[in-house]
Amino acid sequence: MRILLAVLILATGTSAAFACGNPLLWAMLFAKVPEAKLVYEAELAARAEGLITARVYGARTGQPYHLWSKKWILELAKEMQPKVRRALAPGEGLTILLADEVAAIRFSHEAGVEFVPPAGLRHVEHFDLITSINALKSVWRDELSYAETVERNLVWSAEGVGKTTLSLVFASR
């Protein structure tokens, strides 16, 4: 009976409906993408130092965190889209894994921006950039420089990802 209860709790807690920021999903993500754990730990350290701040949960009454977070992430991504689009060549894309949310945002030159929920991450072949939503918010909307995020391990970029593309996106907001 205990095993059945444990399996039910695990299955319920790791479902896509409870996706964004779910600690049960972090363990699975960190096992699959070890760089995500390094970025996540760097974010916690930066928050403790006051370098970056967490988003303020401002959902409507009764709105679950997951839906609020997805909407918030898409709003930020849509702010970023024009600049990202200019930095990408035709046919090129940029996929950013948000380690703290266990989700991704995918930009493409042609199709715009797409939110990739935890259940969809298994279909993503690679991540061009790994960061947290709080670090991304801080570099896009606040005064944190992209160079400082790199220096403090708040971002990780894949081999072969154009540093020029990332510089064009994050150099000046």
Side-chain angles (χ1 to χ4, degrees):
M1 187 56 140
R2 287 183 185 174
I3 292 174
L4 178 61
L5 182 60
V7 169
L8 286 174
I9 289 171
L10 184 61
T12 302
T14 58
S15 71
F18 297 101
C20 294
N22 185 330
L24 293 173
L25 291 176
W26 288 331
M28 292 187 301
L29 175 66
F30 298 160
K32 184 178 176 185
V33 185
E35 299 86 359
K37 183 175 183 183
L38 299 173
V39 166
Y40 180 75
E41 289 171 345
E43 189 221 337
L44 293 177
R47 283 173 53 187
E49 293 174 29
L51 181 67
I52 61 176
T53 57
R55 299 172 297 156
V56 176
Y57 179 51
R60 297 183 320 265
T61 304
Q63 183 182 26
Y65 175 81
H66 173 66
L67 293 177
W68 170 82
S69 186
K70 178 181 176 182
K71 181 181 178 215
W72 200 101
I73 291 167
L74 279 171
E75 286 174 6
L76 180 65
K78 286 176 184 173
E79 282 177 31
M80 296 173 65
Q81 175 60 21
K83 190 156 191 184
V84 173
R85 187 174 190 274
R86 284 192 301 273
L88 296 174
E92 212 174 27
L94 178 70
T95 302
I96 303 174
L97 173 64
L98 303 169
D100 54 342
E101 294 295 315
V102 191
I105 47 179
R106 183 180 298 160
F107 297 93
S108 73
H109 187 269
E110 293 77 18
V113 65
E114 170 191 7
F115 177 82
V116 182
L121 291 179
R122 68 177 178 260
H123 303 295
V124 177
E125 291 180 24
H126 76 282
F127 302 104
D128 300 307
L129 190 71
I130 299 173
T131 190
S132 70
I133 189 62
N134 297 313
L136 189 61
K137 171 192 74 77
S138 293
V139 80
W140 191 258
R141 291 185 179 163
D142 302 332
E143 296 301 316
L144 186 64
S145 71
Y146 182 70
E148 192 166 10
T149 62
V150 172
E151 178 183 314
R152 292 180 167 266
N153 297 319
L154 291 166
V155 296
W156 175 89
S157 58
E159 295 259 341
V161 172
K163 303 297 182 202
T164 305
T165 300
L166 297 176
S167 295
L168 287 172
V169 171
F170 295 109
S172 62
R173 294 162 297 282

